[in-house]
Amino acid sequence: MLATTTLFGLSEEDIYLFNQGSSYHSYRFMGAHPVKFEGRLGVRFAVWAPNAKEVRVIGGFNGWNGIDHRMVPIGTTGVHALFIPKVKEGELYKYEIVAKDGTVIRKADPYAFYSERRPGTASIVARLTGHRWQDGKWMRWKKKNAPYHRPLLIYEVHAGSWKIKGKEDFYTYDELADDLIPYAAEMGYTHIELMPLAEHPLDQSWGYQITGFYSPTSRYGKPAALKRFVDRCHQNGLGVILDWVPGHFCKDDHGLRRFDGTPLYEGADPNRAELPLWGTLAFDFSRREIVSFLISNAIYWMDVFHIDGFRVDAVANMLNLHMDKPAHMRTYNELGGRENLDALRFLKLLNETLFRYYPDILIIAEDSSAWPAVTSPTYQGGLGFNFKWNMGWMNDMLRYMKLHPNDRQHHHHLLTFSLCYAFSENYVLPLSHDEVVHGKRSLLNKMPGSYEEKFDQLRLLYGYWMTHPGKKLLFMGGEWGQFDEWKDGDMLDWMVLEYDSHKSMHRYVRELNQVYRETPSLWEKDRDPDCFQWIDVHNAQQSVISFIRRGRSSFSVIIANFSCHDYRDYRIGVPEPGMYQPLIHSGDTRFGGYIENATTACYTSDNMKWHGLNQSISIQLPPYTFLLLTYLGNTQ
């Protein structure tokens, strides 16, 4: 047994579990914690640096000279600890590590809970407690309402460009709460998804290249302000999803790279560790301490900040040792395959652990591969996520929409193929930031044709997206048809809402969101094949599709015309006799279309067989039109 003084109040069991890869709350003892030890107030520091010759704590409290603050190695665990009296919350600090070859390096704390604003790189002592949460009603509601059978409509936000006050003059977490929360709630979203908020040195990385995994970025304020933001979201009926990046980390000197003078968080083999496309390093998932670090990180965001779930970034890259690597850098697993078996084991353990602690969590895989059973439980051989981005639908759909309307008839499969696999996973249909940046053009500007036709087709796309099986995600600015692609250094083009075309698109998206949330047939049975029935899937020549969405006790009929032609008397089969009421029509003049009061007239079915159904209705179908009908019953 080690002496209590040597441990500085740390638990031997905690450190043992950390070394075994099964400490899922390691943030509670690793890092810098204000504590009372042996009757004195101060801060206890703990860091993992197994190959260091010596580790010292440096900071403003000792003039950045750690000669009198050498940390004590705790046996052979690789953990070094020290209690320093009189150090207080808000103090800046780093670890000064003497490598085995005598090289002295200065590192930020991997478990820092707050960090100096870039370009500064120091860690800051911060408490984890102090906020009095007021979101009990939301937390109780979550436990009773599984996301699978509820509407899920996600607004993806980059906090540094949604709104800003000037160049690099960002909105704070509190200012975002004042503006973003009521806006998202009024637009009808169920969740806000925030692009990575962990501390990162480069704005242009959007938060995906991280140095402080436990540190909410200081660009927007203190951690306490982020807690207030999440709390206010919950009080306004909005969940919060965080983009989370457990696959890799950036190579800045103060970060995790060669942390103790040797490859530690990354693997020793550079061919496996290096990710040349991104200029980052992959985590070494074979190291048990890395598993403790990462799973604890996810638990930390849930415990401390009440985050409702994660969009897990780059799952395909984690699983595939060859992805985005030149031939000379490709490595193989012990079975001779390209699968990263350590990452596979990690992801399964991650999801099992998170669901054990938080059964109502959202864990959404951003996975572009065809890996099977991503959203199936691990005990059934799956990866254990509960949702997956449907990248296949997104790629096919955007490719289809960019075609000239006269060419679409030759690529009809791009419109319909997704229904061949739509029920193989729990899908989210993403129209995300990745599709509107780096020369890809905005969603609006992907549409062919005239200025007016671009808006017509974007409304059509949104209608099909909203009624296709799967949950929904839209990147900020898409709701009003941002014309320029996303500029991460500037704020969104809010000024375009002064123009009727964008204002009408904004109104359309808001009403489409509301119709989605109020129409159970669009979300009650998303993964059940019985929720979907084609009326006519084969009309490639006219580029028109029609289908039925079914809920537990209701159904809706959807018609979409992707052509530039006006079909005056277009007949479709319907499943029941009676009245069909338009819920939303993309061609309504209120949305920028050409049909006055498009949703006021009901359609009465005729006793005429069509499309294999006993009843049918005849409708006018202008170019680029989406129409959603609800069944009112048989009034005859």
Side-chain angles (χ1 to χ4, degrees), residues 23 112 138 191 240 252-253 312 335 365 372 561 565 570 589 593 622 626-627:
S23 174
W138 168 265
H191 290 71
V240 180
D252 287 46
D253 286 342
V312 181
L335 303 177
N561 176 12
H565 301 293
Y570 192 88
T589 52
F626 162 80
L627 179 58

Side-chain angles (χ1 to χ4, degrees), residues 46-58 66 69-71 78 80 94-110 253-262 264-265:
V47 66
W48 179 57
N51 302 306
K53 187 175 181 180
E54 184 175 276
V55 183
R56 303 185 282 255
V57 182
I58 58 174
H69 290 131
R70 295 183 174 91
M71 301 185 79
H80 300 249
K94 281 188 176 181
Y95 296 119
E96 189 172 64
I97 296 173
V98 182
K100 285 185 176 179
D101 63 2
T103 303
V104 178
I105 49 182
R106 292 184 168 188
K107 292 287 188 178
D109 188 348
D253 286 342
H254 68 284
L256 300 180
R257 182 178 68 91
R258 297 185 65 85
F259 185 79
D260 62 0
T262 66
L264 187 63
Y265 286 83

Side-chain angles (χ1 to χ4, degrees), residues 448-470:
S450 67
Y451 184 75
E452 292 77 12
E453 287 173 325
K454 288 179 181 292
F455 282 94
D456 293 342
Q457 291 176 88
L458 186 58
R459 293 195 302 274
L460 169 62
L461 168 63
Y462 285 162
Y464 184 46
W465 165 68
M466 196 66 80
T467 53
H468 188 290

Side-chain angles (χ1 to χ4, degrees), residues 378-534:
T378 57
Y379 61 79
Q380 292 181 352
L383 289 185
F385 292 90
N386 58 355
F387 287 96
K388 170 184 173 173
W389 274 20
N390 191 336
M391 309 290 277
W393 172 87
M394 179 273 299
N395 285 315
D396 283 352
M397 200 63 215
L398 294 183
R399 181 183 167 196
Y400 179 83
M401 293 303 300
K402 287 189 286 187
L403 293 169
H404 188 281
N406 290 336
D407 293 331
R408 287 174 180 166
Q409 62 180 311
H410 306 299
H411 301 273
H412 195 67
H413 66 283
L414 294 174
L415 186 61
T416 61
F417 177 67
S418 58
L419 270 302
C420 294
Y421 59 86
F423 310 106
S424 62
E425 303 276 7
N426 290 324
Y427 279 120
V428 173
L429 307 184
L431 294 170
S432 76
H433 67 277
D434 278 328
E435 310 317 315
V436 295
V437 73
H438 294 328
K440 294 180 180 178
R441 295 180 292 174
S442 69
L443 292 179
L444 178 68
N445 205 17
K446 293 181 196 292
M447 305 298 114
S450 67
Y451 184 75
E452 292 77 12
E453 287 173 325
K454 288 179 181 292
F455 282 94
D456 293 342
Q457 291 176 88
L458 186 58
R459 293 195 302 274
L460 169 62
L461 168 63
Y462 285 162
Y464 184 46
W465 165 68
M466 196 66 80
T467 53
H468 188 290
K471 309 307 183 184
K472 323 298 175 186
L473 176 143
L474 182 65
F475 183 57
M476 62 183 196
E479 69 271 25
W480 64 68
Q482 171 104 354
F483 195 85
D484 288 343
E485 69 174 27
W486 175 43
K487 306 175 289 291
D488 56 66
D490 299 314
M491 75 173 176
L492 295 176
D493 295 333
W494 291 90
M495 75 291 255
V496 302
L497 286 172
E498 298 174 9
Y499 298 92
D500 288 341
S501 52
H502 294 280
K503 190 183 302 182
S504 297
M505 176 65 74
H506 199 230
R507 184 183 302 116
Y508 173 71
V509 170
R510 182 173 60 249
E511 294 197 21
L512 185 63
N513 289 352
Q514 197 64 37
V515 166
Y516 167 75
R517 293 188 62 166
E518 294 176 354
T519 308
S521 60
L522 300 182
W523 41 260
E524 271 186 338
K525 300 168 66 177
D526 261 327
R527 196 174 176 180
D528 186 344
D530 291 339
C531 84
F532 186 92
Q533 177 185 346
W534 284 113

